[in-house]
Amino acid sequence: LINMTVNREHERMQQLATLQDNWHVTAVTPTQQLYVVVIGESARRDALGAFGGQWDNTPFMSRVNGVRFQNYLAAASSTLQSLGLTLTLVGEDGQPQYQNNIVTLAKRAGFHTYWFSNQGQLGNYDTAIASIAKRADNVRFMKEGNFFSQDTQDTDLLKFTNDALGDESDAPKLIVYHLMGSHPKACERTHNQYATFVNNEEISCYLYSITQTDNFLASLYQQLQHSGQRFSMLYFSDHGLSFNERGTRSEYLSHNDQFQQNYQVPLWITSSGDTRQRDIEAVRSANDFMSLFSQWSGIRTQEVVPKYRFISEQKAPSIHVTNFALAKIDYEELPQDPFVSGATTQPNTPSQTAQR
């Protein structure tokens, strides 16, 4: 039965991966040689110090020059739905056109493309996103089967960077990294390490998993700098999480679609020529990510017509998010699920382990 399911998912991915894209590129004016997209996982914005979180757990993003979007919202509250709506052209019917995605658009524009993933490729929730990955010229999956098949670290992906940077080509490059990030259960992500004890071990590990992603971005930034090439790196998370069993000793964070924090995620861009830090307060939506990608990469196409300048304080149209039932809902009407520290926080060294 398991084999049949895997085979069926594999067939579905092959079908999605072979649909022909139909982009009509009208202009290609990149300003960088390297365009890097880092897709984070399960990071709610108020858990990051660089985005106003209570803990200084993002030293790199807090310090480096670039643009931080303080009010960016995920399109949906689960990985598949969110990334489907974020990374692809969405049709009049509201459905992602998986063949028309950032990878096929970059390839149409003459970019060389890479996708390095620490997520699975054949689980029920991975297939459609893997079908986007499979379009890249160079694809590496750390996990052979589904999402939970091996314990691999996001930092393992960094060994692929030099392959991409070393490819001798005059063409601009799009390099995508898909992280495991802060996916529950956080202590599994951190191997039970945490830096500050907050509420309980799982919450403490979650905050440290954010630091692990920050460390990943710092290391990747160094690799890009050492290449001597002009680059821009964009990081965002697919969705946030919300609290369960709040205030109890067994409190934990998990997927949900009922709160604003399920959609509040970081979006951050740093480029080799940046000379200052800039915070954008205007509300921005992942539903408009293709517009951002077009403006950022310099690839113009008939299918993506930006309604406003994404990297600006220009007001955007009203924003909806998509819940688990695939219904569009008004984000503003959702209740809050704030990150509250219920216990006295105690500094800890990351070498110490949490007993679970």
Side-chain angles (χ1 to χ4, degrees):
L1 186 65
I2 291 171
N3 277 344
M4 280 176 61
T5 304
V6 168
N7 289 340
R8 201 160 49 237
E9 284 297 306
H10 192 68
E11 284 170 21
R12 193 167 83 92
M13 182 172 67
Q14 297 297 350
Q15 288 170 348
L16 288 168
T18 51
L19 282 173
Q20 184 60 48
D21 70 89
N22 53 1
W23 292 115
H24 296 88
V25 173
T26 56
V28 183
T29 56
T31 57
Q32 314 289 350
Q33 293 162 285
L34 306 170
Y35 289 89
V36 180
V37 175
V38 180
I39 303 170
E41 169 69 60
S42 301
R44 43 183 281 164
R45 192 168 58 237
D46 63 0
L48 283 77
F51 290 83
Q54 303 167 57
W55 298 276
D56 182 18
N57 61 345
T58 54
F60 175 66
M61 276 187 279
S62 296
R63 187 191 75 244
V64 77
N65 292 326
V67 184
R68 294 178 298 206
F69 293 79
Q70 297 290 353
N71 287 291
Y72 175 72
L73 301 175
S77 52
S78 64
T79 300
L80 174 61
Q81 305 305 340
S82 176
L83 294 184
L85 295 168
T86 301
L87 301 177
T88 74
L89 188 67
V90 176
E92 296 285 321
D93 59 359
Q95 297 301 307
Q97 298 176 6
Y98 284 103
Q99 70 276 25
N100 292 324
N101 57 62
I102 63 170
V103 173
T104 54
L105 178 55
K107 287 175 74 168
R108 282 274 177 185
F111 284 45
H112 206 66
T113 55
Y114 306 79
W115 190 292
F116 304 137
S117 177
N118 192 24
Q119 300 225 356
Q121 55 181 314
L122 286 179
N124 294 330
Y125 306 107
D126 309 317
T127 307
I129 306 309
S131 78
I132 298 175
K134 292 286 187 184
R135 305 272 185 158
D137 299 308
N138 298 75
V139 187
R140 303 281 182 88
F141 279 93
M142 297 296 300
K143 293 178 171 63
E144 291 299 319
N146 69 23
F147 187 87
F148 297 108
S149 60
Q150 288 105 4
D151 177 24
T152 50
Q153 299 295 301
D154 289 335
T155 47
D156 295 340
L157 296 172
L158 294 169
K159 66 187 177 193
F160 301 133
T161 306
N162 287 334
D163 293 350
L165 299 182
D167 272 0
E168 294 201 6
S169 166
D170 292 333
K173 294 172 180 173
L174 170 67
I175 311 171
V176 181
Y177 297 81
H178 193 183
L179 309 184
M180 278 291 280
S182 300
H183 192 282
K185 304 168 177 178
C187 285
E188 291 179 6
R189 308 277 82 75
T190 71
H191 290 153
N192 288 351
Q193 292 184 339
Y194 55 87
T196 303
F197 184 86
V198 179
N199 297 5
N200 66 18
E201 282 82 5
E202 183 64 19
I203 303 303
S204 306
C205 290
Y206 180 77
L207 290 169
Y208 188 62
S209 72
I210 299 289
T211 302
Q212 288 185 324
T213 294
D214 189 71
N215 290 340
F216 175 92
L217 294 169
S219 298
L220 179 54
Y221 184 86
Q222 268 192 323
Q223 290 181 313
L224 297 171
Q225 272 195 320
H226 288 158
S227 76
Q229 300 175 67
R230 296 187 313 279
F231 68 86
S232 187
M233 176 166 69
L234 182 156
Y235 160 72
F236 71 94
S237 180
D238 53 0
H239 57 77
L241 300 172
S242 59
F243 283 90
N244 281 272
E245 301 183 35
R246 183 191 278 281
T248 71
R249 296 174 94 178
S250 51
E251 177 179 84
Y252 64 100
L253 287 155
S254 69
H255 293 67
N256 201 336
D257 62 350
Q258 301 293 306
F259 299 97
Q260 291 191 358
Q261 282 75 8
N262 297 126
Y263 306 92
Q264 293 175 359
V265 291
L267 169 63
W268 170 79
I269 304 172
T270 185
S271 306
S272 48
D274 285 347
T275 56
R276 66 188 179 103
Q277 286 190 343
R278 182 178 167 198
D279 285 331
I280 289 184
E281 301 293 341
V283 178
R284 293 290 180 256
S285 170
N287 293 311
D288 295 332
F289 187 87
M290 288 305 302
S291 294
L292 168 61
F293 186 80
S294 171
Q295 293 170 43
W296 177 61
S297 64
I299 305 170
R300 285 215 295 274
T301 172
Q302 289 177 18
E303 289 75 21
V304 179
V305 182
K307 306 182 197 73
Y308 60 93
R309 288 191 321 283
F310 199 102
I311 307 175
S312 76
E313 291 291 357
Q314 204 175 335
K315 192 168 171 20
S318 62
I319 287 172
H320 68 267
V321 292
T322 301
N323 66 12
F324 288 162
L326 305 186
K328 292 179 180 179
I329 55 174
D330 184 348
Y331 163 82
E332 293 292 343
E333 291 183 3
L334 293 172
Q336 295 277 351
D337 178 56
F339 207 127
V340 179
S341 173
T344 307
T345 62
Q346 305 159 10
N348 192 3
T349 60
S351 60
Q352 288 183 288
T353 58
Q355 299 302 315
R356 296 190 64 219

